[in-house]
Amino acid sequence: MGCLYSKGNVRFITDGKIYDTKETRKQKEETRKQKEKGKKNLRPPSLQNVGHTWPSKLELSLQRLSQKAQNARKIQAWWRGTLVRRTLLRAALSAWIIQCWWRRILAKRQEKNRLMILHVMAQETRACVLIQSWVRMLRIRQHYCRLCYATRVIQASWRWYNCHTRGFFQGSYELVGNKLRLQLDIFLGSQVCRISDCISLPIKN
């Protein structure tokens, strides 16, 4: 807001608008008297005894201008506040969208990591089960082989014992031409059984 004074003309400039006012003779005389009094008396005019006077057109116009300026400031403040709130709302919405997107990405990553960990655990478990089954198979096979070996030893010992206690046999054979002469002697305790036979063999010339 600006004010220019020249030869009784007052010009006010507010928000790009220009207002011109002219002083009347009465106002000129009052201003001249006040200047003379100010020269004579160094006290400020606010401390002097001034009578009650009605506001002039200039004062009314100044009051209207000041009221308009206040209203304009209020409107500007409201509009700036609206712009700031709109900007803050847009920023909050953008931040919320980014947070939702990032949380979705994190959830996908966590799910992917969980599936990978489960896959690795399944592979490790399968490998452990395979190794355990293989080791158990080897142990059971070794035990089975030991049992088979012990069974063979027992069977051989028992057969040898039976052969020596009950009896045994011995024999001889002779091949003459296309005939086989066979002679067997079976000893059963104190008894002896002798078998002799001649078997013809189908041999082609």
Side-chain angles (χ1 to χ4, degrees), residues 6-154:
S6 63
K7 294 182 180 181
N9 297 326
V10 181
R11 175 173 289 180
F12 294 96
I13 302 172
T14 56
D15 298 332
K17 295 182 179 181
I18 300 172
Y19 300 94
D20 293 329
T21 58
K22 293 182 180 181
E23 288 184 344
T24 58
R25 291 181 180 178
K26 188 176 181 180
Q27 290 175 354
K28 288 181 181 179
E29 290 177 359
E30 287 179 357
T31 53
R32 184 173 54 79
K33 288 179 181 179
Q34 286 178 1
K35 286 181 182 178
E36 290 176 356
K37 286 181 181 179
K39 290 180 181 178
K40 291 179 181 178
N41 195 357
L42 296 176
R43 290 186 302 174
S46 60
L47 298 177
Q48 296 177 0
N49 294 326
V50 180
H52 179 72
T53 56
W54 293 100
S56 62
K57 293 182 179 179
L58 179 61
E59 292 176 355
L60 291 173
S61 61
L62 288 174
Q63 289 179 1
R64 290 175 183 173
L65 289 174
S66 62
Q67 190 174 2
K68 287 182 179 180
Q70 290 179 0
N71 295 332
R73 289 194 193 97
K74 287 181 181 179
I75 293 170
Q76 288 176 355
W78 171 81
W79 179 244
R80 287 169 184 167
T82 303
L83 291 178
V84 170
R85 284 190 292 271
R86 188 181 297 172
T87 305
L88 291 175
L89 180 61
R90 185 176 297 172
L93 287 174
S94 301
W96 180 70
I97 292 169
I98 293 170
Q99 287 177 355
C100 292
W101 171 79
W102 181 244
R103 286 169 186 166
R104 187 170 64 252
I105 295 297
L106 285 179
K108 287 183 179 179
R109 287 185 180 178
Q110 290 178 357
E111 185 67 20
K112 187 176 180 181
N113 293 333
R114 188 178 68 83
L115 291 175
M116 289 178 63
I117 291 169
L118 286 175
H119 183 67
V120 172
M121 287 180 64
Q123 286 184 346
E124 291 178 354
T125 306
R126 193 180 297 110
C128 291
V129 171
L130 185 63
I131 292 170
Q132 287 176 357
S133 63
W134 184 71
V135 171
R136 288 170 184 168
M137 181 192 68
L138 287 179
R139 291 179 63 184
I140 292 172
R141 187 176 180 83
Q142 288 177 358
H143 184 65
Y144 176 74
C145 290
R146 288 175 185 173
L147 290 177
C148 289
Y149 178 74
T151 304
R152 292 191 192 98
V153 171
I154 292 170

